[in-house]
């Protein structure tokens, strides 16, 4: 579509869904295939069942979810609680150092780690970390059943 045209929703049952360089908030969904948002000037929500989720260069994130696949998300901003969930796959979050958020990171089978960010932690174990970044704020819940959860600085 032409540059600058708002895109509200892109969905498919089978196949990849990708939005690059679009205007406004967008929801991306696929039942079987990866979903990707790149260089979106609004907030994004992404969901698939079988495939990875990849988010880079967006204004903010509302949600990222899959059942079978890895999740890789840049968090520049949030505007409420943000669920980031997979069942089988790793979760990697890269957060802006100025973001004010409470992170709840958890895995059942795997490790949880924080790299390059200083969280005021209330829970700290190998499979769950809960902590505030810059005094806390809206909650970012990142979880997987089988895989690692990593929070890094952007």
């Amino acid at each position: 579509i032409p540059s600058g045209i708002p895109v509200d929703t892109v969905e498919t049952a089978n196949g990849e869904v990708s939005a690059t360089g679009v205007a406004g908030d967008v929801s991306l969904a696929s039942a079987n295939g990866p979903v990707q948002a790149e260089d979106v000037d609004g907030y994004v929500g992404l969901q698939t069942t079988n495939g990875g989720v990849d988010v880079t260069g967006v204004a903010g994130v509302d949600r990222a979810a899959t059942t079978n696949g890895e999740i890789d998300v840049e968090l520049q901003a949030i505007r409420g609680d943000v669920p980031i969930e997979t069942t089988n796959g790793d979760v990697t979050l890269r957060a802006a150092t100025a973001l004010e958020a409470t992170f709840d990171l958890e895995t059942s089978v795997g490790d949880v780690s924080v790299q390059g960010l200083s969280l005021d932690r209330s829970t700290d174990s190998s499979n769950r970390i809960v902590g505030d970044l810059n005094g806390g704020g809206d909650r970012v819940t990142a979880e997987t059943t089988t895989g690692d959860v990593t929070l890094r600085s952007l």
Side-chain angles (χ1 to χ4, degrees), residues 60-154:
V61 176
D62 287 330
R63 178 172 195 211
T66 185
T67 301
N68 297 303
E70 295 186 359
I71 297 178
D72 191 343
V73 173
E74 286 184 1
L75 290 172
Q76 294 282 352
I78 57 176
R79 59 180 178 190
D81 292 346
V82 178
I84 299 175
E85 309 164 318
T86 186
T87 301
N88 299 304
D90 294 338
V91 176
T92 302
L93 304 177
R94 293 178 317 280
T97 56
L99 187 66
E100 297 175 354
T102 298
F103 287 91
D104 188 343
L105 315 170
E106 185 172 13
T107 183
S108 297
V109 180
D111 294 313
V112 176
S113 63
V114 177
Q115 303 165 1
L117 293 170
S118 180
L119 295 184
D120 180 18
R121 299 179 189 197
S122 59
T123 302
D124 192 348
S125 68
S126 64
N127 65 346
R128 185 166 187 214
I129 294 174
V130 179
D132 294 335
L133 179 62
N134 299 316
D138 291 323
R139 183 173 289 267
V140 176
T141 304
E143 61 184 328
T144 183
T145 301
T146 305
D148 297 332
V149 178
T150 305
L151 173 63
R152 295 185 174 121
S153 64
L154 183 59

